[in-house]
Amino acid sequence: MSERTLRTITVNQIGYPLDGQKIVVFTGTEHDFQVVDVDSGTIVFKGSSDTGRFDKASGVILHTGDFSEVNTEGRYRIEQGEGLASASFSISDQPYHELQQGLLKAFYYYRCGVELTEEYAGDWKHKACHTAKGIVYGQPDLQLDCSGGWHDAGDYGKYSGPGAKAIADMLLAYELYPSAFVSAIPLPESDGSTPDVLLECRVELDWLFKMQDSATGGVYHKLTTLSFPGLDVMPEDDTADLYFSPLSATATGDFAGVMAMAARVYKPFDAAYAGKCLDAAGAAWEWLVQHPDVPGFTNPPEISTGEYGDGVDKDERYWAAAELYRTTGKEEYHQAVLQLVQLAFPKYSLGWGDMGGYGTIAYLLNGEEQADRGLYASLKEGLVAEAQRLAEQSREEGYRISLKEEDYIWGSNMLVMNNAMLLLAAEYFSGDSGFADCALDHLHYLMGRNVLDISYVTGFGDHAVMNPHHRPSVGDQVADPVPGLVSGGPDRGLHDEYVVEHLQGKPAAQCFVDHELSYSTNEVTIYWNSPAVFVVARFNQ
């Protein structure tokens, strides 16, 4: 991280909603604090923090202070003793509106195959990229259109499964919290009738159609060059040959699930498009039926780009069946759900590798009337129990999130946001708003209430990530990084050379560095942004 003094007073650097709990976390020894109105300099609240406790994951003694009594709109900061102050933050009815817009706009910046114009991209404009046809690996004479969609991460690969997860998070957010998506971002396609979130997801869906083998219905696992370009290479300068990696069951299951979902969501806006999605989902499902035992995907020998290997496809098949049943009502899909759910795989996980949670949520959202009563009850009970476990874990951790010391893995911020998503799903099905309070604590962590006093979203907060491992941000000669990108966060495994050299012996939650070379802590990806969109949408209704 850039050398700066870590503040001993940490808050959500964006702000807090008017109602509900407002917590500040201190790592100093002083116990008294005051809340100051930034504009007038008036002290609006005085309080004392609780007694300190050692937080193992972050390696510090923490105190928390509660200033929930402050519920007048304005900009504030927390002050303590001699010159100690927090970031300034807002308290308002909808403090996260701009954040949600930024997290969504990030997907526009991830777009591939089109020019990003100054009108919509500002300083981060660039020419069209990756417009050549792709070669089907092992069939050098077969070349197919593969343009469009989103770059996956800090590199320019495009991956079917992770892309499907990112779309699913945002379509779910739209289904559950439609009123959060009224404002235009805006996008080049903004038309005042179809919500911008659906216009942006369609960019990736249109690319996913190109990943389906028209002859069999199976889906190519990914589309990348043979190896990654240098870190300062702009997208339009990455001109090596593109390759479709072989079909995989996990990609095909994810494709079937997200296309069935899209068929339902897009139907009111474009019935013909919805029909195309459903036909594609059905063809992918038929491939899965005809290929019950397919080995997990591994990179072909010459390809060294991100593998996204996944040896278990039962969860993806379960999600596909549940979405197809929800969209069509056909009994064949219900029977598939009933068979697949008996197999051993995580039923409540929302990671790109473990997609079972999406199947469970789809089955529950379809309603008890359409369900097997016993299965509906057990899935709902299991989901709520998992959320209760996460909430309990959050109460034990100093920064009030559900990560234990061992959970600070590569992409820990995805876990933070996926767990918050699951908590909100539990709120939706149980009506218990305590789950939403816990999910909001996870957002507070992401936006600066953490031991490193950093906002993990570029461009948002006064100490935000500045140097992500993201090729356009490195190569574009613009001082600020592309805004709205969620960084991966602390990784106690120290999985890149830069952190091995600089972070030895650090506590788990401090194993992060804001440096472009740290791909294991400071890379960005679409499926770290997407659960953040879901979580923020819940608080923007």
Side-chain angles (χ1 to χ4, degrees):
M1 208 153 73
S2 57
E3 285 304 314
R4 63 176 175 82
T5 305
L6 293 180
R7 287 178 294 218
T8 57
I9 310 174
T10 57
V11 294
N12 181 326
Q13 294 172 19
I14 301 301
Y16 297 81
L18 279 174
D19 300 320
Q21 200 172 36
K22 302 175 188 73
I23 296 289
V24 53
V25 179
F26 305 97
T27 50
T29 51
E30 182 86 30
H31 293 284
D32 296 330
F33 69 93
Q34 52 202 32
V35 182
V36 177
D37 183 303
V38 169
D39 295 325
S40 67
T42 309
I43 296 171
V44 299
F45 177 82
K46 290 185 176 182
S48 297
S49 62
D50 60 9
T51 53
R53 53 184 283 198
F54 180 70
D55 185 56
K56 196 176 175 197
S58 54
V60 292
I61 295 172
L62 299 178
H63 308 260
T64 59
D66 191 324
F67 59 103
S68 304
E69 287 179 38
V70 183
N71 52 15
T72 304
E73 293 211 3
R75 281 204 74 74
Y76 301 92
R77 66 175 173 265
I78 312 288
E79 293 184 356
Q80 248 191 343
E82 283 303 303
L84 296 178
S86 72
S88 65
F89 55 88
S90 72
I91 292 177
S92 70
D93 191 33
Q94 285 199 333
Y96 311 123
H97 174 75
E98 292 303 322
L99 175 61
Q100 183 184 320
Q101 297 293 85
L103 290 166
L104 263 175
K105 180 67 177 279
F107 290 88
Y108 169 78
Y109 293 118
Y110 275 120
R111 286 190 191 186
C112 180
V114 293
E115 180 184 4
L116 302 191
T117 63
E118 190 164 2
E119 182 182 359
Y120 292 97
D123 290 343
W124 301 283
K125 63 186 184 291
H126 66 74
K127 298 186 185 76
C129 59
H130 305 102
T131 54
K133 287 187 172 182
I135 301 159
V136 176
Y137 186 83
Q139 299 175 260
D141 296 333
L142 182 54
Q143 299 190 14
L144 304 170
D145 175 22
C146 60
S147 63
W150 302 317
H151 298 141
D152 173 66
D155 60 81
Y156 301 129
K158 296 187 284 190
Y159 305 84
S160 299
K165 175 201 161 33
I167 299 169
D169 290 341
M170 295 200 285
L171 295 186
L172 266 177
Y174 174 73
E175 282 197 294
L176 268 54
Y177 314 121
S179 64
F181 295 96
V182 172
S183 301
I185 294 172
L187 301 171
E189 300 82 3
S190 297
D191 60 9
S193 59
T194 303
D196 277 6
V197 65
L198 301 188
L199 296 171
E200 191 55 65
C201 286
R202 188 165 170 162
V203 169
E204 183 79 344
L205 287 163
D206 286 345
W207 170 75
L208 277 175
F209 284 128
K210 299 176 182 182
M211 296 299 284
Q212 185 171 40
D213 175 31
S214 55
T216 66
V219 176
Y220 295 107
H221 192 79
K222 64 176 190 170
L223 179 95
T224 68
T225 50
L226 293 179
S227 57
F228 291 135
L231 190 53
D232 60 351
V233 173
M234 288 296 286
E236 62 267 37
D237 299 325
D238 179 33
T239 54
D241 287 341
L242 291 161
Y243 287 85
F244 289 85
S245 285
L247 308 178
S248 78
T250 53
T252 306
D254 284 334
F255 177 98
V258 82
M259 285 294 176
M261 193 181 198
R264 192 173 63 245
V265 175
Y266 285 84
K267 193 173 184 182
F269 302 99
D270 188 337
Y273 188 75
K276 182 182 175 185
C277 292
L278 191 56
D279 289 346
W285 179 258
E286 283 309 308
W287 186 94
L288 291 169
V289 170
Q290 289 161 23
H291 298 80
D293 300 300
V294 187
F297 177 85
T298 52
N299 267 339
E302 298 154 83
I303 297 181
S304 63
T305 52
E307 185 172 74
Y308 287 106
D310 184 357
V312 179
D313 60 18
K314 299 185 285 265
D315 48 321
E316 287 84 6
R317 290 170 184 264
Y318 168 62
W319 179 38
E323 292 289 2
L324 279 159
Y325 177 51
R326 188 176 172 210
T327 299
T328 67
K330 289 183 179 176
E331 189 56 31
E332 64 175 298
Y333 298 125
H334 195 198
Q335 289 304 315
V337 170
L338 296 177
Q339 288 172 350
L340 286 159
V341 77
Q342 295 174 48
L343 303 175
F345 60 88
K347 306 298 191 297
Y348 308 104
S349 177
L350 301 171
W352 64 262
D354 293 310
M355 296 289 284
Y358 295 95
T360 294
I361 288 170
Y363 193 74
L364 293 175
L365 284 173
N366 201 29
E368 199 171 358
E369 294 302 312
Q370 279 68 47
D372 172 274
R373 295 296 173 89
L375 177 59
Y376 182 93
S378 71
L379 286 176
K380 180 178 172 181
E381 187 181 325
L383 186 142
V384 172
E386 175 62 9
Q388 284 169 336
R389 185 188 72 77
L390 293 174
E392 209 166 291
Q393 178 60 35
S394 302
R395 285 192 287 271
E396 291 172 12
E397 295 298 305
Y399 284 99
R400 303 165 75 94
I401 61 165
S402 53
L403 269 55
K404 296 181 182 174
E405 195 179 14
E406 61 269 24
D407 297 325
Y408 287 88
I409 58 171
W410 193 325
S412 62
N413 282 340
M414 182 183 79
L415 271 187
V416 173
M417 289 293 102
N418 282 353
N419 289 355
M421 250 189 96
L422 192 85
L423 287 158
L424 293 172
E427 180 208 22
Y428 188 87
F429 293 117
S430 72
D432 183 347
S433 63
F435 290 129
D437 296 338
C438 186
L440 186 54
D441 278 330
H442 287 64
L443 182 62
H444 294 328
Y445 166 90
L446 189 77
M447 302 312 300
R449 202 178 71 189
N450 54 61
V451 69
L452 296 177
D453 176 39
I454 193 166
S455 160
Y456 286 114
V457 181
T458 58
F460 288 86
D462 77 336
H463 281 174
V465 165
M466 280 296 291
N467 306 292
H469 181 88
H470 177 243
R471 281 166 177 78
S473 293
V474 176
D476 63 8
Q477 309 300 311
V478 180
D480 288 336
V482 171
L485 308 179
V486 176
S487 169
D491 169 22
R492 68 197 290 261
L494 303 184
H495 285 109
D496 65 64
E497 298 82 355
Y498 191 88
V499 294
V500 165
E501 188 181 336
H502 291 88
L503 296 182
Q504 290 296 337
K506 292 279 189 186
Q510 293 193 42
C511 289
F512 171 84
V513 63
D514 182 13
H515 195 284
E516 65 198 34
L517 294 180
S518 181
Y519 54 83
S520 69
T521 75
N522 205 27
E523 193 168 4
V524 295
T525 91
I526 53 174
Y527 55 86
W528 296 342
N529 261 71
S530 56
V533 169
F534 181 99
V535 173
V536 173
R538 160 61 182 81
F539 301 102
N540 272 334
Q541 297 181 85

